[in-house]
Amino acid sequence: MARRENCKKNNSELPHELMFKIFFLLPVATLLRCKSVCKTWLSIISDPQFVEAHCIESQKRQPSSVTELSSDQICIDNHESKTLLQLSIFYDGIIHFLSCCNGLVCFANTAYSTIFLGNPMTRQFKKVPTPQIQTAGSFSIGCKLGFGFDDVSQDYKIIRFVCDHKDSSYSIEAEMYSANEDSWKEIRVPIGLETTFQFVRHRGGCVFRPDQSRVLYFEGFREVLSFDLHDEVFRLHPYPRPTKLPLPGVPKSYLLEFEGSVAMICDESSGDGETVHSLWTLERDCGNWIKQFKLEDCIKNDHIILYLGDGQFVVNGLSYYRRRSRTIFYYYNKKNAKEYLGASPARQVISVVKFNESLVSVKGFKQLEDGVFTV
């Protein structure tokens, strides 16, 4: 009772704008505790304008947190503390896909048929309705997912591609989930796309730039496929073509989000018969690739899977197709590296993705209470 009385007294002395600025700088865990102090604080922290402003500020903080996915848990590591989420409360089996956007995570099973959205920091989740396009368990069929934010309609969306590799033919179907509508709809794939573009199976995900551009980027064998979540328009972007190489560069990384741009690391001839890694970024307007810099030889034989910001790359210590590998942080600015052990060195890390905490919620979220989630 005394705490609430003190809160009322302090509220009368502090302008609303100043309280907004103070809360604006606090981490999500602290804000969640502040919400229970008094109604005034609850009102400020729950205000949609505050949630949006806090989310935007969170994107600017460096270095970003790391979200580690093993077979049965998500670990959010902000280099000061770790938050663990046990995935077995949702369903049994290995989680195959994980993506993050504005503090929300999207994860799915191997067939991409069971999908969840959630905010690990607020412990709110929902199961996405079952996709309309079924795969029937065929090994010839592959799926790709992309998760991002449509800033025009203020809607979180998931794009799902189903690719059939039957015999010598190749076909692509697509559907999109809207969090606002809580439903899937068919997306028309341009005629002839399957003859010019093929997804790379068993590696990489999609890239969503944090500048609310509403465009997702997917890796192919020789091109990058972009999809506008609002206009529903596809575009193809050929890989970079380094000098002194007759063909487009050989990717030595997944597609990356590098300082607000889509990026890729490719082999390039050094002129003396050797190859070096060079980082290229995709220009937003013209669609051309621009070489930014060369990387050190210490990661020449490794595969780069993520850029965390502040000069930090996440590197797979063995070739990307190996099941067992070491996850390494490479600090480009400092020219050194260290191994990432995660929540437990004994666990196999399936993926590591960038994560920025937020208070963001979507329609249909349910609170996770004491490890119990009701679908």
Side-chain angles (χ1 to χ4, degrees):
M1 185 70 178
R3 184 176 67 175
R4 291 188 178 275
E5 291 298 327
N6 290 334
C7 178
K8 291 179 180 179
K9 181 180 178 180
N10 292 334
N11 288 340
S12 63
E13 297 175 354
L14 292 176
H16 185 280
E17 293 77 11
L18 180 57
M19 294 176 62
F20 187 102
K21 292 180 180 179
I22 294 173
F23 290 143
F24 184 70
L25 301 174
L26 298 178
V28 170
T30 303
L31 290 172
L32 293 176
R33 292 193 293 269
C34 289
K35 290 174 71 173
S36 62
V37 172
C38 63
K39 291 182 180 180
T40 302
W41 289 15
L42 173 63
S43 175
I44 295 174
I45 298 170
S46 302
D47 189 309
Q49 290 185 337
F50 175 81
V51 172
E52 180 180 358
H54 185 271
C55 179
I56 294 173
E57 177 64 22
S58 177
Q59 305 294 332
K60 302 175 184 177
R61 295 171 186 164
Q62 299 289 352
S64 299
S65 302
V66 176
T67 302
E68 166 201 338
L69 175 68
S70 64
S71 60
D72 61 352
Q73 72 176 19
I74 292 175
C75 173
I76 301 174
D77 182 358
N78 64 5
H79 306 288
E80 295 179 358
S81 62
K82 291 181 173 66
T83 301
L84 294 178
L85 173 66
Q86 218 44 52
L87 295 177
S88 57
I89 60 177
F90 297 98
Y91 46 73
D92 295 328
I94 295 177
I95 309 303
H96 191 71
F97 173 85
L98 178 72
S99 183
C100 301
C101 176
N102 293 347
L104 301 184
V105 297
C106 172
F107 55 93
N109 62 352
T110 305
Y112 299 148
S113 57
T114 304
I115 306 170
F116 281 84
L117 283 179
N119 186 327
M121 301 307 298
T122 63
R123 299 181 68 79
Q124 293 179 318
F125 295 87
K126 68 175 292 185
K127 183 180 180 183
V128 173
T130 303
Q132 298 174 350
I133 304 175
Q134 301 300 311
T135 60
S138 172
F139 288 103
S140 66
I141 296 179
C143 295
K144 284 286 184 180
L145 284 186
F147 172 54
F149 180 64
D150 177 354
D151 61 313
V152 176
S153 58
Q154 296 292 297
D155 192 6
Y156 289 90
K157 296 180 178 179
I158 301 170
I159 179 75
R160 180 174 183 261
F161 296 98
V162 177
C163 314
D164 193 345
H165 300 260
K166 187 179 297 182
D167 299 327
S168 60
S169 63
Y170 181 77
S171 63
I172 301 176
E173 295 181 274
E175 57 186 333
M176 187 169 65
Y177 168 79
S178 161
N180 287 350
E181 301 295 331
D182 196 29
S183 63
W184 293 88
K185 75 171 186 176
E186 181 182 357
I187 297 296
R188 186 181 68 84
V189 176
I191 297 175
L193 178 65
E194 67 278 0
T195 64
T196 57
F197 178 84
Q198 288 193 22
F199 290 99
V200 179
R201 302 182 72 181
H202 310 306
R203 59 164 281 181
C206 74
V207 168
F208 178 77
R209 297 204 307 263
D211 59 356
Q212 298 185 334
S213 65
R214 72 176 182 269
V215 179
L216 296 174
Y217 295 82
F218 296 86
E219 183 179 347
F221 282 100
R222 289 295 179 185
E223 306 93 0
V224 172
L225 176 68
S226 65
F227 177 73
D228 190 305
L229 290 170
H230 184 76
D231 298 333
E232 301 176 9
V233 173
F234 293 88
R235 287 186 62 190
L236 285 175
H237 312 269
Y239 278 179
R241 188 181 294 272
T243 58
K244 302 179 182 179
L245 288 179
L247 297 174
V250 178
K252 300 299 292 185
S253 73
Y254 292 162
L255 274 184
L256 307 173
E257 183 275 306
F258 178 80
E259 305 296 351
S261 297
V262 174
M264 176 172 285
I265 295 172
C266 297
D267 273 345
E268 182 179 9
S269 174
S270 62
D272 56 3
E274 298 293 327
T275 58
V276 295
H277 287 356
S278 56
L279 185 141
W280 299 70
T281 56
L282 183 64
E283 292 292 286
R284 304 185 185 190
D285 299 324
C286 61
N288 295 327
W289 292 90
I290 306 297
K291 186 171 73 171
Q292 301 297 332
F293 54 83
K294 296 178 182 179
L295 280 80
E296 300 298 305
D297 290 339
C298 64
I299 57 170
K300 185 173 182 179
N301 297 318
D302 300 323
H303 199 75
I304 299 171
I305 59 178
L306 182 68
Y307 178 71
L308 287 175
D310 198 27
Q312 298 179 59
F313 291 90
V314 179
V315 181
N316 213 338
L318 294 176
S319 299
Y320 64 87
Y321 52 80
R322 298 280 187 89
R323 287 188 176 274
R324 289 289 179 181
S325 60
R326 296 179 301 142
T327 301
I328 299 170
F329 282 172
Y330 169 67
Y331 298 85
Y332 172 74
N333 296 333
K334 300 178 182 179
K335 302 297 188 293
N336 61 14
K338 69 175 183 179
E339 184 172 358
Y340 174 66
L341 299 179
S344 170
R347 292 184 179 273
Q348 178 185 355
V349 177
I350 296 177
S351 66
V352 181
V353 297
K354 186 188 297 188
F355 177 83
N356 294 89
E357 64 177 30
S358 78
L359 293 162
V360 171
S361 180
V362 299
K363 183 176 67 175
F365 267 8
K366 296 180 180 179
Q367 193 70 38
L368 180 67
E369 300 289 351
D370 299 324
V372 178
F373 181 80
T374 304
V375 177

